[in-house]
Amino acid sequence: MATPVLVIEANPGQHLFRSLLDFWTHREMVLAFADRNIRVKYKQAVLGFAWAAIQPVAMVLVLAVTVGRLVGGHGYAAFALAMLVPWTFLQTAVTFAAQALITDAPLIRKVYFPREVSVAGAVLAAGLDLAIGLVLFAVAGPFLGAKVSPTWMLAPFLLLVMVLLATGVGCVFAALNVYYRDFRYALPFALQLWFFASPVAYPLSVVPQRWQLPYVLVNPAAGLFDSLRRVLTQGQMPDPLLVGISAAETALVVWAGYRVFKGLEPGFADVV
């Protein structure tokens, strides 16, 4: 296997700007890749799109009878569902994005297109499961204890930041996975650690007050999950400091991930 070469541009900002313009020119391909990924994922599945709802519901039941007894109380099921829907998206998006270049290897060897199109298509395909999960929460959440509130209108903006976070992380793993297939085995373990290190099964309030800020600084998703908890289950406004930190960290992850991706891109067609 060829050794990856990281290309450092004299003016990386200008190079990335040209790359983004090229990506925008091929934006319709993102929809084509997403459509294909969705069809492949649910091909010959008897229950079809129902699996997008079955997975978070099953996890809610598991958490309700385990973790819920310790940190739960009234409304824990609504909290768990509100957190598991975006977490399932984040996990699925990063997993499929990391495999995108390997999956599309025949096309990459033969046809030119911005390689990040493949990653973006994988993330966008995971968005269908997210949409189904949100509909599920809108229907079941109030019965489980969630407070219906105008703050729900903030959820799409928070989820957009999470989509960007998934894309940035996916770019890094997709690029590295081309050269080092070990990441295929390391990624599930890394995602498990990310799950337990995020306020998904437990609220951020269980973390001691003095550690909450460092906790969010280390984990960009933490502020987003806490904000979604406030918005969807309690009808409260998100903490501006926490959501601001997560948004800033997400922007940094996207920039760094895209730069690493474009730096390793010249060797993709030869190695993949």
Side-chain angles (χ1 to χ4, degrees):
M1 182 176 294
T3 302
V5 177
L6 179 62
V7 179
I8 304 297
E9 294 286 329
N11 189 344
Q14 184 178 4
H15 170 68
L16 293 181
F17 181 72
R18 293 197 306 268
S19 298
L20 287 172
L21 287 178
D22 192 25
F23 172 77
W24 178 252
T25 302
H26 293 80
R27 60 189 180 279
E28 293 183 359
M29 290 189 65
V30 177
L31 297 176
F33 274 90
D35 179 69
R36 186 224 37 201
N37 291 338
I38 292 172
R39 293 178 184 274
V40 170
K41 181 179 179 180
Y42 292 108
K43 184 179 180 180
Q44 296 180 339
V46 176
L47 297 180
F49 296 140
W51 284 111
I54 292 173
Q55 184 175 352
V57 168
M59 284 296 295
V60 166
L61 293 175
V62 172
L63 292 177
V65 299
T66 54
V67 182
R69 294 177 178 272
L70 301 176
V71 300
H74 177 69
Y76 180 80
F79 158 77
L81 182 59
M83 296 299 94
L84 285 169
V85 167
W87 168 256
T88 301
F89 160 77
L90 186 61
Q91 180 184 43
T92 303
V94 172
T95 299
F96 281 91
Q99 294 294 329
L101 298 179
I102 306 301
T103 302
D104 297 328
L107 285 175
I108 291 175
R109 297 191 193 103
K110 298 178 181 179
V111 181
Y112 169 75
F113 58 89
R115 308 313 185 192
E116 60 269 30
V117 165
S118 181
V119 176
V123 174
L124 185 60
L128 176 64
D129 291 357
L130 177 61
I132 294 174
L134 290 175
V135 172
L136 171 66
F137 177 82
V139 174
F143 295 99
L144 297 175
K147 182 178 180 180
V148 180
S149 167
T151 58
W152 283 21
M153 297 175 63
L154 297 175
F157 300 99
L158 297 170
L159 292 170
L160 177 60
V161 179
M162 188 164 290
V163 169
L164 294 175
L165 178 61
T167 303
V169 175
C171 279
V172 174
F173 277 99
L176 294 176
N177 197 32
V178 170
Y179 298 99
Y180 306 106
R181 302 302 166 84
D182 305 76
F183 283 94
R184 177 186 304 175
Y185 307 104
L187 182 58
F189 176 67
L191 287 172
Q192 284 183 342
L193 292 179
W194 199 3
F195 173 80
F196 290 110
S198 300
V200 177
Y202 53 87
L204 184 59
S205 57
V206 305
V207 179
Q209 184 68 33
R210 67 180 183 277
W211 292 110
Q212 289 184 10
L213 184 58
Y215 180 86
V216 176
L217 287 171
V218 172
N219 183 359
L224 298 177
F225 282 116
D226 181 69
S227 298
L228 286 168
R229 173 184 67 84
R230 294 169 181 262
V231 165
L232 293 177
T233 65
Q234 298 179 331
Q236 300 177 355
M237 295 294 292
D239 186 316
L241 176 61
L242 297 185
V243 74
I245 291 174
S246 290
E249 288 181 313
T250 295
L252 180 61
V253 168
V254 171
W255 176 82
Y258 193 56
R259 187 175 180 186
V260 168
F261 185 91
K262 300 306 289 187
L264 294 173
E265 184 183 34
F268 287 168
D270 297 326
V271 179
V272 75

